[in-house]
Each structure stands twice: as C-alpha cells, then as structure tokens.
Amino acid sequence: MEDAPDGPAPDEWVRGRRLGIDLGKARIGVAVCDPDGLLATPVATVRRDLKTAGEHIPADIQEIAETAREYDVVEIVVGLPVTLSGEEGPAAAHTRAWVQRFADHVSPTPVTLTDERMTTAVATRRLNEGGVRGKRKRSIVDQAAAVEILQQWLDRRRR
C-alpha cells in the first residue's frame, strides 16, 4: 500500500484498468476506468461487513477483490479522508486499517491511497444537478464518489 497524492510519475504508467474505491461507514462505492485511464465509470455499491473479525476475510473485501479480478485491474485507488487542512483524523486511521487488510488480500495488485477531500460533496452536488433524488440518490452516491476519487486521480496523473 502506498500513499500517492499525485500518483506515480508519467513514465511509470502501466496501461490497464484501475478500480476506484470510496470507503464509507456503511457502504463502499466502486468505480472502474478504461484501460487508457481516461474515464471513470460507476460499478457497484458494496455493503460494509463490520461483523467479520480475526482470520476471516470480510465479505466486502472478498466482493471488491472479485470485482478487481473480473475487471483485470492493474491498480486500486482508495480515497483517504483527510480534513480540509490536509490532516488525518480517526476516519483516515480507519481507512488505513481497512486498506492494509484489503491490500494483503489483493496482493500483488498495488493499492494506492489518494486524497478524497470533497469528493462526496461533489458527487452529491452532481447527482442533485442531474435531478437524482431520495432513495435512488442514496443508493448511488457512493458509486458517484468512487468515480470522483478515481477520475481526480486519473486527471492528476495526466497533468
């Protein structure tokens, strides 16, 4: 697992799909990009498995790992929640702990953390602007946030 606020250097680019993940308290949004890394699209919302402990692999980790295999991803990008000032708090520590367990399960596929500041707010605003409301919005906002996380990471990579 590596922190990469701006991603790897351009000469390190490996063609292939990337998975974007927005880790929430109850749900996990998942997005994927095309092999050229131009456009992120929503894939799924996965319910968090907060009950599985110890040696057992939680169902959410298993499901996302299977999605990564289905899409034959070369890298997984997970949003790291930091404060507006860039500091890490309890949410970031929780994310780092989940990512460590997840990275162990999907190894050798690299897992990269990236700053996710404001991605859920941007995703919610875009859904509102698109006329998505109520229960339908709740069911897809996590996917939309995962799209924002992955798309921002891809855009920074191209710069």
Side-chain angles (χ1 to χ4, degrees), residues 33-150:
C33 71
D34 61 283
D36 293 317
L38 299 175
L39 184 64
T41 56
V43 172
T45 300
V46 176
R47 178 123 344 252
R48 287 290 307 271
D49 176 0
L50 301 172
K51 295 182 174 144
T52 302
E55 300 290 319
H56 301 286
I57 305 297
D60 54 358
I61 288 177
Q62 290 180 37
E63 186 173 340
I64 296 168
E66 179 58 32
T67 300
R69 282 189 291 277
E70 287 173 16
Y71 282 95
D72 196 25
V73 300
V74 298
E75 186 171 9
I76 299 168
V77 179
V78 181
L80 180 66
V82 293
T83 64
L84 290 177
S85 64
E87 296 176 9
E88 292 188 21
H94 174 78
T95 296
R96 284 185 180 279
W98 184 91
V99 166
Q100 184 60 58
R101 193 166 189 189
F102 177 72
D104 289 345
H105 189 66
V106 298
S107 180
T109 303
V111 179
T112 302
L113 289 165
T114 188
D115 184 340
E116 72 164 24
R117 271 180 275 190
M118 305 301 293
T119 55
T120 300
V122 169
T124 301
R125 187 183 76 236
R126 288 188 183 178
L127 290 172
N128 287 339
E129 289 169 356
V132 180
R133 303 264 189 265
K135 287 183 182 180
R136 182 164 175 253
K137 182 169 79 174
R138 279 195 303 273
S139 71
I140 63 171
V141 71
D142 302 292
Q143 291 177 44
V147 167
E148 288 294 328
I149 289 166
L150 183 55

Side-chain angles (χ1 to χ4, degrees), residues 2-26:
E2 63 181 77
D3 290 358
D6 296 317
D11 58 348
E12 295 177 26
W13 179 259
V14 175
R15 188 174 189 274
R17 293 178 178 269
R18 269 86 178 157
L19 209 63
I21 296 177
D22 175 50
L23 182 70
K25 292 178 182 171

